[in-house]
Amino acid sequence: MTVTGRPKGKGAGRTPKRSAPPPPPDDPAGKPGPRFASISASRPADRRKLNIFVSDPMAGRRARYRTSIDVNNEPGLLPGPVGALVEVIDYDGEHDQYYTPVDLNEPVHLMQGGLLPNESDPRFHQQMVYAVTMKVVESARRALGRPIKFYRSERTPRLRLIPHAFYGANAFFDPKSNAIFFGYFKADSDDPGPNLPGQLVFTCLSHDIIAHEVTHAIVHGLRRYFLEPTNHDVLAFHEAFADIVALFQRFSYAPILREQIQASKGRIQDQAMLVELARQFGYASGSGQALRSALGVKPDPTLLGRTFECHDRGAILVSAVFDGFYRTYEGRIADLLRIATNGSGELPAGHLHPDLVERVANEASVLADHVLRMCLRAFDYLPPVDVTFGDFLRALVTADLDVNPEDRFELRFNMIEGFRIRGIFPDGVFSLAEESLTLPTCDDPGLDLDPHLVELVQLLFAINARALDWAGRVVQRTRPSSDGLAAFQSVVRESDEDPDDADEEGSLLPSERGLKRKIGQGLGHYVSQRAVALGFEPDKPIAVVSFHPVHRIGLDQRVLVEFVVQFVQTDETRSAEFGGIPMRAGLTAIFSADGRLRTVVSRPMPHPGVTEPFAAAAGARADRQRAFVEAIDLGDPRLAWGPDGYEAVRMKLRKSLASLHAGIL
Amino acid sequence: MPPRMRRPRPAAVPPPAPRSRLRVRMYDVGFGDCFLLLLPAPEGRDRKVLIDCGSFKAGRNVLADVVGQVISDVTDDDGVARIDLLVATHRHKDHISGFADPRWDKVEVGEVWMPWTESDEPEAREIARAQSALALALHSYAQAAGAAAVADAPVLDLNVGTSVNGAAMERLRQGFRGRPRRRYLPTREASTRYVECAALSDIRIQVLGPSRDRETIFDMNPPSGEGYLALLGMRAASLAKPGASTAPEPFGRQWIDPTPSRPLDAAARSKLRDLNRDLPLELATALDKAINNTSLMLLFSIGEAHLLFPGDAQWGTWREVLKDPELCRLLEQCCFYKVGHHGSHNATPISFVSRHLGKQRQEVWAMVPVTSYSKWPDIPRAPLIDALKGKVTHFVRSDGDRQADAGFRWEGDLYVEAAIPIG
């Protein structure tokens, strides 16, 4: 079914209210002129080059750690920069003042990839924050197979990036403000790390810190309850995932890899070489520290059982993924080594042949990109609440097996190994064989979507496909538009559901909005009809937290289309018991394109009518959450000294403390 | 010079049928600790062990009166005040402030035990350095913030005090009569937890904490680095002069945009303004935890009786203890528990109460030195106190009601005493 062929009798192509554009190229009635005009002559650039530091500004003093990356050229980018998804607001809360915003469309900036790296010009800071953010968003979009949205409310339609928000050695994502606040601080005069004593350090100039915080924002958009500490893994997972994305994002910049590989003088198969690169990660940041000590050391399977600080624990997960990456890299370059050494495996002393460096760097960067996608793809298979590292492993394997059954790189195998030797196991899985890690498939026709709902969902598939369709976007850009921003957000205007909404701009487009409302209602009906079968408490509201189509392309060009829905049920009455965090039941349901339920990831909660197979899991989960709160209480001195009412909301407050003043308590 | 006269000790009269008892005296110092153990000697005078003497906030008695009482209670028939073993569990005011009293100079002390973190070892100096840097920063903050702010957050006061407990610490290190032997425990070389005390040779004393394990040492180190200290200083400065920042300007004045076209909303700006509002309290609490974790935790075994004095040890030290199955068995045999940290939740692990306490004992005493304080409604923590009462046979609070439990003897409001059979 196509978008334009809607059985509603409305005109397929809505007449635009602005200047009449030429008819679409696929319109057979169109005039030949515009149809055959070469678009490459008039089309604006797809990509915009921007200079950034690739590591911390201090390391950036050495020219080679500066690079330019290219990001989508957003039409109508405003000074700030203010784009469709994110906006940079250079407000300094410490001094209560604003700094001049950069206009990246000024010719001088267009000519040389924006401003040149320069610590003393706030406009370069703004540019770098914007560039790295967009790069990470792009990676996430590609891997997830759908656009990333930061829309939270009318007041905060975009993610705000505040590069000099406060004075302090930290940066953090604040979901409530829909903003990332970056701090700046004076390096310790006693322990400056790699910085000059007393020098000002800007967290917004660290590629890894930006990538890390943006990932927090992306993860929060995908799983809003992953900031609720319900077990030891939840916040650690948030930290770990942010580090994984930042780390592999950096590894995908081939020029840096080339540099490092050449500098290694032939130790290209030495894990230390890659570890060294990873260790330059986020130097001044707290999580970077935990990570540095976790990478490249002999894995200790007992460590997980006694590490609970969320950054330290997260570092274990990052090192598992890094290990999988490294093992795969080793396998991938073995042939290159044999060729380069005539089979001896002994590289000659001195400089490596640039061709070899180029090829090895390429392998590593392609692989890094692959790991990044694999990790992001796993997201659709995670439960909506109460995630564990084990869930991530299962999701990783399930998601990858679907699109890459052959595991040509052996990446999946190596990942499992990386997790295994660190003692990361999913609950209820006794073997780490691929088959047992894969989520069980569901085979109950009673749980499939109703046919009319399937129709609506397929419509959404079509819209999503068009939003991802690059050719369509190119055409879009060649046409005049008074508001480039709105046009960029989505290209679907033809399938209007509700013409009254047609003039709203900025967020979801009306057609999509109307359709989504209907699907949301349909899914609400679907789940309330099957509440017991899906492990929920009947007669109690169940929220449809999110639903989205997924289009994925595997290594062998295999295409996978799925429809992923998250349902959540909340029991506020038990919040006090868990320190202010309500008990929630959650279910991620994955449907095939024709509406059959393929698999579910479920987190039931106890309720009077709970039945097997959910009852046991629900009971165990409540016990685990209680034990978790107790364990945290033990080490928290604030429970004794804390302000009035601390106890009732302590888990919430601990979370905010962890994000801001990590390591104090 | 007249010959030193000493009265002959009265001949030991072996106690009749009920076998001898050890007396544990808890003085009511208000919010603080002061315990005296009186051990019957095979012959001669009682042996005396004093564990802590300090108060943060007066209760029914002023501290000076308690000090006077303790000194008179340890005075032998020859008029000389003698303490065989004096233990200062950790350097918090509510445990040592009483030792600032000059009357202690007349008291003859056999040994003074302190946690190893008070020694001259490099690791100990490092911990002390970090703790006092933070205490000093909190002190400056408290001065800038003024009395009202400190009164609102007494934990600040308690921990600022650690840097000014000078006189008490000085006496513990140098003072008392009789050239007491100073020991900082456990020693680095110790191969066993047992420590011999010359005057108490029939008593086995085990040192359970503070640990020298790296992970636990970490719990004794407060957050360091100038970062937090600088923030604290800035917080103090902004209290003194609101609106003015002492932080360096990141850019030249030419980059300031006086008329931003897209300003940040008020909610986000106020979020930034309040970012470090709770920092002083958080840091004070962190320092408090760090110092509590240096607590000397002792287990006395006399015959079949085992008595646990954990100081104010928090989870770091407890974690180490509860990891050891052999120690857990001993905890189950304890017949006396000094409730740590005035009955707050974080110095008595739930698992210790639910799994170990009283498990292998008919009769168990628990004493909690505390006085209710409106600023800390959770001290003592009601659910913990209830759980304890369910596990022990005799429970008492230092500010408690005299009629509450027949298992104790009250001496006015001054102290309450338990007599524990040791036969």
Side-chain angles (χ1 to χ4, degrees):
Chain A
M1 145 172 237
T2 64
V3 176
T4 44
R6 299 292 315 289
K8 232 188 160 184
K10 274 180 190 165
R14 211 172 65 81
T15 317
K17 291 179 178 169
R18 304 189 189 90
S19 63
D26 58 353
D27 185 351
K31 290 172 196 155
R35 184 175 182 188
F36 297 114
S38 160
I39 56 165
S40 46
S42 56
R43 128 190 184 190
D46 267 353
R47 312 290 291 168
R48 181 195 289 273
K49 273 202 184 310
L50 290 172
N51 300 314
I52 61 161
F53 287 120
V54 186
S55 38
D56 275 25
M58 280 316 296
R61 288 264 154 80
R62 298 145 68 199
R64 59 189 174 188
Y65 286 112
R66 304 159 174 197
T67 191
S68 76
I69 55 176
D70 53 9
V71 298
N72 255 328
N73 178 22
E74 295 189 74
L77 187 71
L78 301 174
V82 179
L85 292 174
V86 304
E87 66 181 299
V88 179
I89 302 178
D90 207 345
Y91 171 71
D92 181 341
E94 179 62 36
H95 296 98
D96 193 22
Q97 61 198 21
Y98 291 82
Y99 303 114
T100 313
V102 65
D103 183 356
L104 292 176
N105 286 333
E106 272 179 31
V108 57
H109 300 327
L110 289 174
M111 268 185 270
Q112 50 182 4
L115 285 99
L116 295 172
N118 177 357
E119 273 181 75
S120 58
D121 185 340
R123 297 174 308 162
F124 170 71
H125 299 209
Q126 299 152 9
Q127 162 183 315
M128 175 159 166
V129 167
Y130 170 75
V132 175
T133 301
M134 291 311 285
K135 194 79 190 165
V136 173
V137 168
E138 250 179 81
S139 299
R141 184 182 60 80
R142 266 187 313 148
L144 287 169
R146 62 176 185 271
I148 301 291
K149 294 191 177 101
F150 291 117
Y151 182 91
R152 294 291 173 269
S153 68
E154 214 131 299
R155 197 173 53 80
T156 56
R158 303 178 189 88
L159 176 67
R160 281 104 50 96
L161 306 168
I162 323 293
H164 310 101
F166 63 99
Y167 185 85
N170 207 338
F172 66 102
F173 164 63
D174 178 37
K176 220 170 152 191
S177 328
N178 197 16
I180 298 174
F181 298 112
F182 296 90
Y184 60 94
F185 62 102
K186 230 170 163 168
D188 274 9
S189 50
D190 281 355
D191 178 18
N195 302 302
L196 294 176
Q199 179 216 6
L200 267 189
V201 179
F202 297 98
T203 57
C204 72
L205 289 185
S206 162
H207 170 276
D208 304 324
I209 292 176
I210 303 169
H212 179 100
E213 298 303 333
V214 171
T215 310
H216 276 315
I218 294 174
V219 168
H220 186 66
L222 298 173
R223 289 289 185 279
R224 74 179 79 159
Y225 300 118
F226 280 12
L227 282 176
E228 290 186 346
T230 50
N231 70 53
H232 285 301
D233 283 352
V234 181
L235 296 184
F237 175 79
H238 230 288
E239 293 301 330
F241 201 81
D243 277 347
I244 289 170
V245 171
L247 185 63
F248 288 100
Q249 182 71 59
R250 192 137 84 86
F251 272 52
S252 63
Y253 302 140
I256 310 161
L257 277 169
R258 279 199 293 271
E259 193 67 44
Q260 186 72 24
I261 288 165
Q262 187 59 270
S264 77
K265 302 230 162 134
R267 291 185 303 126
I268 55 175
Q269 228 175 350
D270 189 346
Q271 188 174 4
M273 188 271 290
L274 286 177
V275 169
E276 187 47 45
L277 188 53
R279 279 189 181 158
Q280 294 164 12
F281 178 86
Y283 220 103
S285 77
S287 62
Q289 232 159 45
L291 196 56
R292 277 195 303 283
S293 56
L295 291 177
V297 296
K298 198 169 173 293
D300 173 359
T302 67
L303 193 62
L304 194 66
R306 54 193 161 85
T307 308
F308 301 113
E309 196 282 320
C310 64
H311 295 93
D312 295 344
R313 194 171 172 88
I316 301 175
L317 184 63
V318 183
S319 65
V321 172
F322 182 80
D323 205 5
F325 165 75
Y326 171 71
R327 285 160 193 264
T328 313
Y329 160 83
E330 216 176 14
R332 296 285 298 165
I333 64 163
D335 56 346
L336 293 173
L337 267 185
R338 282 192 298 272
I339 297 170
T341 62
N342 280 327
S344 75
E346 293 291 319
L347 283 165
H351 284 280
L352 297 176
H353 196 287
D355 288 351
L356 179 65
V357 171
E358 178 72 32
R359 289 284 291 106
V360 170
N362 198 38
E363 284 297 340
S365 106
V366 166
L367 192 61
D369 194 54
H370 193 56
V371 171
L372 199 53
R373 284 185 198 218
M374 188 177 179
C375 291
L376 277 160
R377 257 195 330 247
F379 245 95
D380 286 329
Y381 295 83
L382 290 178
V385 297
D386 200 31
V387 69
T388 64
F389 289 180
D391 289 331
F392 183 56
L393 176 60
R394 291 197 86 164
L396 208 59
V397 171
T398 308
D400 195 60
L401 197 65
D402 278 341
V403 286
N404 295 319
E406 291 91 11
D407 194 18
R408 252 176 26 216
F409 287 12
E410 296 202 324
L411 179 57
R412 189 165 63 240
F413 174 82
N414 288 328
M415 285 279 186
I416 297 174
E417 188 61 12
F419 279 69
R420 189 187 65 79
I421 55 179
R422 284 169 182 79
I424 304 175
F425 297 96
D427 280 346
V429 169
F430 301 104
S431 141
L432 288 192
E434 242 170 49
E435 310 79 67
S436 45
L437 282 175
T438 316
L439 291 166
T441 48
C442 175
D443 200 14
D444 179 357
L447 294 176
D448 295 346
L449 295 178
D450 305 327
H452 79 275
L453 194 52
V454 175
E455 256 180 56
L456 294 175
V457 169
Q458 286 178 342
L459 199 54
L460 193 64
F461 276 127
I463 292 178
N464 191 53
R466 294 203 59 164
L468 290 169
D469 169 25
W470 202 247
R473 190 165 302 172
V474 171
V475 173
Q476 178 82 17
R477 285 182 187 192
T478 58
R479 303 189 189 167
S481 163
S482 65
D483 187 345
L485 273 187
F488 181 76
Q489 278 204 322
S490 177
V491 291
V492 185
R493 288 208 160 226
E494 290 89 341
S495 58
D496 259 353
E497 191 72 33
D498 187 357
D500 298 341
D501 281 345
D503 279 331
E504 284 194 28
E505 279 172 352
S507 64
L508 299 177
L509 286 162
S511 56
E512 212 179 330
R513 182 182 290 177
L515 178 63
K516 287 194 167 174
R517 197 187 306 128
K518 277 192 176 174
I519 295 178
Q521 284 163 357
L523 287 169
H525 184 69
Y526 163 89
V527 70
S528 62
Q529 296 278 299
R530 298 162 179 82
V532 175
L534 293 171
F536 289 109
E537 184 172 354
D539 310 323
K540 206 172 189 183
I542 303 168
V544 180
V545 173
S546 86
F547 55 87
H548 51 257
V550 179
H551 300 254
R552 285 178 195 140
I553 299 169
L555 272 182
D556 55 357
Q557 308 311 312
R558 186 184 293 245
V559 178
L560 183 91
V561 182
E562 282 176 335
F563 183 59
V564 181
V565 189
Q566 293 179 61
F567 300 104
V568 169
Q569 192 169 46
T570 302
D571 182 1
E572 294 278 359
T573 61
R574 308 183 65 180
S575 302
E577 190 184 336
F578 300 117
I581 305 288
M583 184 95 200
R584 296 186 206 275
L587 182 89
T588 302
I590 294 122
F591 298 93
S592 62
D594 56 4
R596 278 177 303 163
L597 183 62
R598 293 191 61 203
T599 184
V600 295
V601 190
S602 132
R603 279 283 184 282
M605 64 179 169
H607 61 86
V610 69
T611 54
E612 288 304 341
F614 300 107
R621 220 192 120 208
D623 291 345
R624 182 176 74 183
Q625 189 164 342
R626 206 170 292 115
F628 165 66
V629 175
E630 265 172 26
I632 303 280
D633 282 352
L634 276 178
D636 181 5
R638 282 189 304 173
L639 204 45
W641 306 123
D644 280 354
Y646 175 71
E647 192 186 348
V649 291
R650 62 193 188 278
M651 292 309 286
K652 274 189 181 168
L653 291 177
R654 283 168 189 157
K655 182 194 73 187
S656 66
L657 180 78
S659 67
L660 186 58
H661 296 146
I664 284 196
L665 288 169
Chain B
M1 192 187 286
R4 198 169 159 194
M5 294 291 289
R6 185 169 247 195
R7 276 192 302 170
R9 284 177 184 171
V13 183
R19 279 181 291 181
S20 52
R21 285 176 181 260
L22 150 73
R23 288 175 291 157
V24 181
R25 223 169 250 187
M26 170 169 68
Y27 293 87
D28 181 2
V29 287
F31 201 97
D33 268 28
C34 182
F35 283 85
L36 180 65
L37 275 60
L38 296 162
L39 300 143
E43 53 182 47
R45 61 177 182 88
D46 278 354
R47 273 88 46 84
K48 287 150 292 192
V49 179
L50 181 71
I51 303 174
D52 290 338
C53 183
S55 174
F56 174 64
K57 181 183 171 293
R60 292 183 288 210
N61 308 304
V62 292
L63 185 59
D65 291 350
V66 175
V67 170
Q69 179 71 30
V70 172
I71 292 177
S72 106
D73 286 356
V74 298
T75 303
D76 286 328
D77 297 346
D78 60 0
V80 178
R82 287 194 187 86
I83 291 175
D84 297 279
L85 169 61
L86 191 155
V87 178
T89 59
H90 64 293
R91 55 159 60 224
H92 264 144
K93 196 191 255 179
D94 55 336
H95 290 254
I96 62 163
S97 63
F99 296 115
D101 196 308
R103 286 176 285 175
W104 287 105
D105 287 337
K106 303 194 307 271
V107 179
E108 194 177 302
V109 175
E111 294 192 11
V112 177
W113 289 10
M114 281 176 275
W116 69 268
T117 48
E118 297 297 340
S119 72
D120 285 332
E121 295 173 39
E123 290 115 309
R125 289 304 91 212
E126 185 48 38
I127 291 170
R129 190 202 60 78
Q131 290 184 348
S132 51
L134 185 49
L136 281 173
L138 284 167
H139 183 67
S140 329
Y141 169 78
Q143 284 192 326
V150 175
D152 265 350
V155 65
L156 203 57
D157 196 13
L158 176 58
N159 286 285
V160 164
T162 54
S163 62
V164 293
N165 284 340
M169 282 311 291
E170 180 70 16
R171 179 160 291 108
L172 286 167
R173 288 180 195 285
Q174 317 277 344
F176 302 113
R177 233 178 96 174
R179 297 180 177 274
R181 176 180 181 198
R182 258 84 191 180
R183 297 171 80 176
Y184 301 95
L185 301 169
T187 57
R188 201 204 314 248
E189 303 76 25
S191 55
T192 160
R193 290 191 201 91
Y194 290 98
V195 179
E196 298 269 327
C197 178
L200 305 167
S201 55
D202 52 331
I203 299 172
R204 285 155 294 138
I205 308 175
Q206 293 186 67
V207 179
L208 308 191
S211 166
R212 285 173 172 269
D213 176 81
R214 287 183 62 86
E215 231 167 285
T216 315
I217 289 179
F218 180 80
D219 286 329
M220 303 171 202
N221 265 314
S224 57
E226 279 176 30
Y228 288 129
L229 302 187
L231 281 180
L232 201 56
M234 285 170 51
R235 182 96 196 125
S238 74
L239 284 173
K241 204 175 159 198
S245 171
T246 50
E249 291 261 358
F251 303 107
R253 307 293 302 174
Q254 74 272 26
W255 293 115
I256 293 174
D257 178 6
T259 52
S261 57
R262 305 177 76 95
L264 192 63
D265 63 299
R269 275 184 287 136
S270 84
K271 161 108 197 163
L272 289 173
R273 216 175 12 255
D274 291 341
L275 221 45
N276 292 323
R277 194 189 43 198
D278 295 334
L279 185 71
L281 185 63
E282 283 161 8
L283 287 171
T285 309
L287 178 59
D288 186 68
K289 174 183 176 178
I291 294 173
N292 281 337
N293 259 328
T294 65
S295 283
L296 195 55
M297 185 178 190
L298 299 176
L299 182 68
F300 296 85
S301 302
I302 308 133
E304 290 303 302
H306 303 279
L307 295 88
L308 182 62
F309 285 86
D312 281 353
Q314 297 199 353
W315 180 234
T317 303
W318 274 103
R319 185 183 55 217
E320 288 295 299
V321 170
L322 294 174
K323 259 193 339 210
D324 186 329
E326 196 185 316
L327 280 181
C328 285
R329 264 195 305 281
L330 274 177
L331 294 184
E332 289 168 6
Q333 293 169 14
C334 275
C335 59
F336 177 91
Y337 172 51
K338 194 288 287 193
V339 182
H341 205 218
H342 323 291
S344 82
H345 87 289
N346 55 9
T348 305
I350 294 168
S351 61
F352 163 67
V353 179
S354 62
R355 284 191 216 143
H356 305 299
L357 185 62
K359 195 170 171 195
Q360 299 184 36
R361 275 283 164 179
Q362 293 286 319
E363 205 174 16
V364 182
W365 282 261
M367 286 179 146
V368 51
V370 71
T371 191
S372 295
Y373 187 14
S374 59
K375 301 284 185 203
W376 295 323
D378 272 337
I379 299 180
R381 188 164 164 78
L384 171 67
I385 298 302
D386 291 344
L388 281 170
K389 283 179 177 166
K391 289 284 181 178
V392 302
T393 37
H394 309 288
F395 177 88
V396 72
R397 290 171 62 138
S398 60
D399 64 345
D401 178 0
R402 259 170 262 178
Q403 269 75 46
D405 189 321
F408 299 97
R409 181 177 76 81
W410 286 87
E411 181 69 35
D413 281 339
L414 272 170
Y415 64 77
V416 56
E417 189 181 270
I420 296 163
I422 53 175

